[in-house]
Amino acid sequence: MFPGCLSIFCQDAIKFTSIRKVRQLCRIIPYNRSCCPVTYVFFNSETRHLSSTGSRHQQVGEDIEQSLTAEVWDIVVSGGGLVGSAMACVLGYSSVLLDKKILMLETGPPFSQKPLTEKYSNRVFALTPATRDLLNSFKAWDNICSVRLKPVKRMQVWEACSDATISFQHTGMLHDVAYIVENEVILGGVMEQLAKISDRVTVLNHAKVTEYVLPKQGGINEWVEIKLENGRKLKTKLLIGADGMRSLVRKTMNVNYTAWNYDQKAIVATLKLSEPTENNVAWQRFISTGPIALLPLSDDQSSLVWTATSELADQLMAMPEDNFVDALNSAIWDESKKNPIVEKTLGTLNSFLNTLWPGEGSVRQLPPNILSIDEGSRACFPLGLGHAAHYVAPRVALVGDAAHRIHPLAGQGVNLGFGDVQALAKLLVNSVYDGNDIGTLEPLLEYETERQRHIVPTMCVIDGLNRLYSTDLLPVVLLRSLGLHLTDTFRPIKERIISHASS
Ligand SMILES: Cc1cc2nc3c(=O)[nH]c(=O)nc-3n(C[C@H](O)[C@H](O)[C@H](O)COP(=O)(O)OP(=O)(O)OC[C@H]3O[C@@H](n4cnc5c(N)ncnc54)[C@H](O)[C@@H]3O)c2cc1C
């Protein structure tokens, strides 16, 4: 024994087989250094009680007992959806966090990749190049590419009340503007990488958290307590809430949460196109009941996200599949809402802009015709918006839908979540590298500021677009059509939009 140290004798070899666990307990040493000349604390495997010597050591014994009766982790990621599993992966692959014990908790069963079939899943995401780079940073992108994805070279957005169109593409369509990937394929790619670091990241499935106790100050020995449905208790120095839009972590943080439901639902389905083409364009048409998006999957298949008022969505879901396809084609092609005044004004603006900047502005392409939908592939999701006033608290951070939920019209939801992962991981790694405790509040606050500066404007624009296009009122149609057309003509503005959406 060394004077001035708290020494621990372990009679239960199993309890301390891992070096990490010993180191974890050793962190208690400085806590007591000043007041404890020599202290012996015995852990008895039979009675599971601690006994200590010395008059002021009762408190110390209680602290240790507390830390032993519950498992202690450095980082717990609660929620193993796309965002949570990517978070666990990025942290697990960081060389700076090699000695950290990381745990991911997920209510659902373990992920098992189903054999690939011709049939595409109806849950697909448009991933941005920034998300690709994040997934590439821990090699999950290679796994995704080896299964399947569809690169998008161009996006075309137009509306029902005028010919105003905007398109996004890189010069000569050399670079991809997005990637359409199935949910299962992304999750499979990430989980494959997680499995390779199972010594660093533990994944616990069927692990539903029922209670969190958060520390008030987050001091050196004040950790987050977690209770699982099966009664198991855990502690962590940093809790990352990736538990989706109904986040229990967020509720426990008791932060203000601004939320509303749109009176809209999104219908997803897998579509068969009338004829095979290169099919590398993502299409979106705004109609007053909500936008319709066609996302390419293969030469002759696309994925549908059709936003409609709740009433219309229910009717569309109840239709036989053939009638649904007819309704879809008519919603994509219908010209009856076009307003001649708007068309004339747009034509005049177009000729004027053409004389000033000939060749700028998009050439409008025609969208594909839909032949049929994959049997039983229709599913419907109610839509809403939600935003937490704070993403962090002492020893807690929220990521993904737990912090912010947005309308899917710009395909940004999970991309924003991956952006959170990237930002939080970077700040945590830097903080630990500087010698700070993993739950230090400062980098968490920096994370909150950085992300809210990006996310709040994005949410406002997306919510605004949804409202702007939900009316057929002539002045509004005129203004938005002119605005869209002007934006389409000025390349620097479009480049700024692409760069914001991709970051
Ligand atoms: C129709 C539609 C289309 C969309 N399209 C796109 C798109 O093209 N691009 C895009 O970027 N986004 C899109 N989104 C948004 C995207 O779906 C979400 O932003 C994303 O799925 C959120 O991921 P997440 O991991 O944060 O949350 P979730 O996917 O909700 O995952 C949360 C996880 O936490 C687990 N969990 C919850 N509570 C507990 C608990 N108490 N204990 C343990 N585990 C728990 C859950 O089981 C779940 O696995 C779309 C959304 C909709 C509705």
Side-chain angles (χ1 to χ4, degrees):
M1 285 315 113
F2 301 100
C5 292
L6 172 69
S7 306
I8 299 162
F9 288 106
C10 170
Q11 295 177 348
D12 186 345
I14 299 164
K15 207 62 189 158
F16 296 104
T17 42
S18 129
I19 291 286
R20 275 201 199 125
K21 282 189 179 166
V22 174
R23 288 180 59 189
Q24 220 173 336
L25 282 166
C26 289
R27 294 209 184 104
I28 297 162
I29 292 171
Y31 176 83
N32 201 41
R33 193 168 277 165
S34 57
C35 66
C36 173
V38 182
T39 301
Y40 303 98
V41 180
F42 297 90
F43 182 81
N44 182 313
S45 62
E46 251 97 71
T47 59
R48 297 202 170 264
H49 273 131
L50 290 157
S51 60
S52 62
T53 62
S55 58
R56 294 190 57 199
H57 305 134
Q58 188 62 33
Q59 175 63 41
V60 181
E62 279 166 12
D63 284 351
I64 297 167
E65 183 163 29
Q66 260 191 6
S67 65
L68 288 174
T69 48
E71 298 163 48
V72 182
W73 297 83
D74 291 298
I75 305 171
V76 169
V77 179
S78 194
L82 292 179
V83 175
S85 52
M87 186 82 243
C89 232
V90 176
L91 298 175
Y93 275 96
S94 162
S95 54
V96 176
L97 305 179
L98 273 183
D99 69 332
K100 302 292 177 219
K101 271 180 69 180
I102 303 171
L103 173 70
M104 186 176 89
L105 298 169
E106 168 54 40
T107 312
F111 175 81
S112 66
Q113 183 93 57
K114 292 187 197 105
L116 200 63
T117 62
E118 270 291 292
K119 220 175 159 125
Y120 281 83
S121 156
N122 60 2
R123 286 297 286 133
V124 308
F125 295 96
L127 301 182
T128 60
T131 292
R132 173 202 59 202
D133 294 345
L134 172 81
L135 296 171
N136 205 20
S137 69
F138 53 90
K139 304 278 177 272
W141 191 250
D142 292 345
N143 303 338
I144 291 169
C145 292
S146 71
V147 183
R148 68 180 166 200
L149 58 75
K150 180 76 185 175
V152 177
K153 299 285 183 194
R154 184 171 193 261
M155 286 185 187
Q156 181 171 302
V157 181
W158 78 114
E159 69 150 304
C161 299
S162 78
D163 271 338
T165 303
I166 190 165
S167 72
F168 300 97
Q169 71 211 54
H170 292 286
T171 320
M173 303 229 276
L174 288 179
H175 303 290
D176 307 323
V177 285
Y179 302 88
I180 310 301
V181 198
E182 292 149 279
N183 179 58
E184 300 271 296
V185 176
I186 309 171
L187 199 56
V190 175
M191 294 310 287
E192 199 177 323
Q193 291 310 102
L194 257 187
K196 289 180 189 159
I197 48 166
S198 55
D199 56 331
R200 271 175 263 160
V201 181
T202 305
V203 178
L204 209 58
N205 286 97
H206 302 294
K208 181 174 183 175
V209 180
T210 51
E211 192 185 343
Y212 300 98
V213 180
L214 307 182
K216 289 208 166 54
Q217 304 294 332
I220 192 82
N221 278 340
E222 254 192 307
W223 297 333
V224 177
E225 294 172 24
I226 301 171
K227 193 172 167 194
L228 303 186
E229 200 173 38
N230 62 9
R232 190 167 166 181
K233 286 181 181 169
L234 315 166
K235 287 187 179 194
T236 182
K237 296 169 188 172
L238 176 65
L239 169 68
I240 300 179
D243 49 349
M245 63 182 184
R246 292 187 191 85
S247 169
L248 179 61
V249 178
R250 186 187 67 235
K251 285 176 193 152
T252 312
M253 283 166 72
N254 201 20
V255 289
N256 274 338
Y257 184 62
T258 308
W260 57 78
N261 289 323
Y262 294 110
D263 178 26
Q264 285 178 323
K265 291 181 182 172
I267 299 175
V268 296
T270 309
L271 309 173
K272 179 105 177 124
L273 309 181
S274 299
E275 51 186 340
T277 60
E278 249 186 311
N279 199 23
N280 55 14
V281 180
W283 309 89
Q284 176 139 279
R285 186 181 208 203
F286 281 94
I287 54 179
S288 58
T289 44
I292 300 175
L294 306 178
L295 309 172
L297 293 173
S298 68
D299 289 357
D300 63 350
Q301 290 181 84
S302 286
S303 184
L304 169 74
V305 185
W306 185 349
T307 302
T309 55
S310 300
E311 194 188 342
L312 175 61
D314 291 342
Q315 287 167 15
L316 291 167
M317 285 299 288
M319 274 178 192
E321 289 180 344
D322 284 352
N323 297 11
F324 178 82
V325 172
D326 291 343
L328 177 58
N329 277 320
S330 123
I332 294 171
W333 290 97
D334 180 31
E335 303 267 296
S336 65
K337 291 273 166 56
K338 274 196 183 160
N339 187 303
I341 301 172
V342 179
E343 287 302 277
K344 202 157 181 238
T345 319
L346 262 186
T348 314
L349 177 73
N350 201 18
S351 333
F352 176 66
L353 292 173
N354 258 332
T355 48
L356 286 180
W357 298 286
E360 293 290 331
S362 304
V363 179
R364 191 169 157 196
Q365 286 185 2
L366 294 179
N369 230 319
I370 314 306
L371 180 69
S372 59
I373 62 170
D374 264 13
E375 205 182 328
S377 68
R378 264 181 301 178
C380 194
F381 299 88
L383 301 179
L385 175 145
H387 187 256
H390 294 286
Y391 296 179
V392 303
R395 297 197 177 277
V396 191
L398 297 173
V399 288
D401 274 23
H404 42 75
R405 176 187 179 208
I406 60 169
H407 197 290
L409 73 84
Q412 281 291 308
V414 85
N415 289 298
L416 290 178
F418 286 130
D420 297 346
V421 168
Q422 170 115 52
L424 182 58
K426 192 180 91 199
L427 289 162
L428 288 177
V429 165
N430 288 345
S431 170
V432 170
Y433 190 77
D434 290 344
N436 293 319
D437 168 51
I438 185 79
T440 307
L441 189 58
E442 209 173 275
L444 299 184
L445 287 169
E446 247 182 272
Y447 157 73
E448 178 180 286
T449 308
E450 182 182 326
R451 289 313 288 159
Q452 290 196 343
R453 278 191 187 149
H454 180 79
I455 288 164
V456 173
T458 308
M459 292 184 94
C460 292
V461 169
I462 291 173
D463 184 65
L465 280 176
N466 190 41
R467 288 168 200 278
L468 186 66
Y469 281 95
S470 63
T471 175
D472 292 345
L473 271 178
L474 177 62
V476 181
V477 173
L478 187 62
L479 279 176
R480 74 187 183 206
S481 300
L482 295 177
L484 195 73
H485 194 68
L486 283 169
T487 312
D488 188 52
T489 312
F490 293 116
R491 201 169 292 184
I493 304 180
K494 281 210 292 189
E495 273 162 12
R496 286 209 66 169
I497 296 173
I498 296 184
S499 124
H500 183 87
S502 304
S503 60

